[in-house]
């Protein structure tokens, strides 16, 4: 039996994974910008830049929530298919 889900359809949690990747990337760039003056011997950036570096962790958590949401939807879909398969056998 072929899966009825289209290859290009958005599954639950896909948006969270994409948003988490973007936030993580912004945090990674902020981390590089914050650490660069330490190696270059220039004046350090203001303290809020260190706060922006924390976006890496936030992005990771957002993406993880998206993965968990996608897994939960897959479990629900598998459970529904199993129940409908049992009903059709009766």
């Amino acid at each position: 039996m072929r899966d009825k889900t289209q290859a290009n359809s958005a599954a639950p949690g896909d948006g969270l994974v994409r948003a988490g990747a973007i936030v993580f990337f912004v945090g990674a760039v902020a981390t590089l910008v914050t650490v660069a003056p330490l190696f270059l011997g220039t004046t350090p950036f203001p303290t809020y830049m260190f706060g922006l570096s924390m976006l890496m962790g936030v992005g990771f958590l957002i993406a993880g929530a998206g993965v968990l949401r996608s897994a939960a939807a897959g479990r629900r879909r598998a459970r529904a298919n199993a129940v409908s398969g049992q009903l059709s056998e009766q």
Side-chain angles (χ1 to χ4, degrees):
M1 178 174 10
R2 298 184 77 176
D3 190 17
K4 295 179 180 114
T5 305
Q6 297 292 328
N8 59 356
S9 65
D14 284 354
L16 283 173
V17 172
R18 286 188 190 108
I22 291 169
V23 172
F24 183 87
F25 181 72
V26 169
V29 170
T31 300
L32 290 174
V33 169
T34 304
V35 173
L38 300 174
F39 292 117
L40 299 175
T42 60
T43 306
F45 283 99
T47 307
Y48 71 86
M49 286 299 288
F50 292 99
L52 285 177
S53 297
M54 297 298 129
L55 288 177
M56 286 178 65
V58 173
F60 188 75
L61 289 174
I62 293 171
V67 169
L68 291 176
R69 184 174 179 193
S70 179
R75 280 195 309 264
R76 281 192 299 269
R77 190 170 40 250
R79 194 176 306 133
N81 288 340
V83 169
S84 67
Q86 288 176 351
L87 292 176
S88 63
E89 291 175 2
Q90 290 180 355

